[in-house]
Amino acid sequence: QVQVEESGGGVVQAGGSLRLSCTASGNILSINRATWYRQAPGNQRELVARIISGSSTNYVDSVKGRFTISRDNAKNTVYLQMNSLKPEDTSVYQCNLNLRMGEYEYSYWGQGTQVTVSS
C-alpha cells in the first residue's frame, strides 16, 4: 500500500515563504519524477515545478527565481520552497509522484494543500 501525503500549506502575507512537503510511504524503490501542480478556482491546473532523476528541474516562468523544488531520496520526500510569495500564488498545490516499485513505475497524487497569500 502506497501513501502520498502533503504538508506545509497555510496562510502567509505577500513576500513571505512556505515550504511544502510531499512524502511517499510503502514499498517504494525510488521517486523517478516529482511534479508540483496548482489550481486556483476557475483556472486550469498548472505545472509549477518538476524534478526528475539526476535532479534536473524545470519551473513555470511565473515562479522562476522564487520557488525551488528539491528531493530527499532517503526520506522519499520532495519539497517545494516558495519564497517572495505573491497573492497570485494563492491556489491548491498538489504533488504527483512517479514511483518505481519493482520493475514498474506508477503515478500517485497527494491530497492537495491550500496556499493562501494575503496582500
Side-chain angles (χ1 to χ4, degrees), residues 4 6 20 22 31-38 45-52 56 58-60 69-71 78-80 93-99 107-110:
V4 176
E6 299 176 25
L20 306 182
C22 177
I31 299 175
N32 285 352
R33 188 178 73 186
T35 309
W36 285 98
Y37 293 90
R38 67 185 179 187
R45 187 170 63 195
E46 176 182 52
L47 188 155
V48 178
R50 173 171 284 167
I51 186 167
I52 61 175
S56 174
N58 54 70
Y59 302 89
V60 66
I69 189 171
S70 61
R71 59 196 292 168
V78 177
Y79 304 99
L80 185 67
Y93 286 73
Q94 194 173 18
C95 66
N96 174 257
L97 302 180
N98 285 64
L99 303 176
S107 177
Y108 287 88
W109 289 88

Side-chain angles (χ1 to χ4, degrees), residues 2 15 18 41 46 61 109:
V2 173
L18 285 173
E46 176 182 52
D61 286 346
W109 289 88

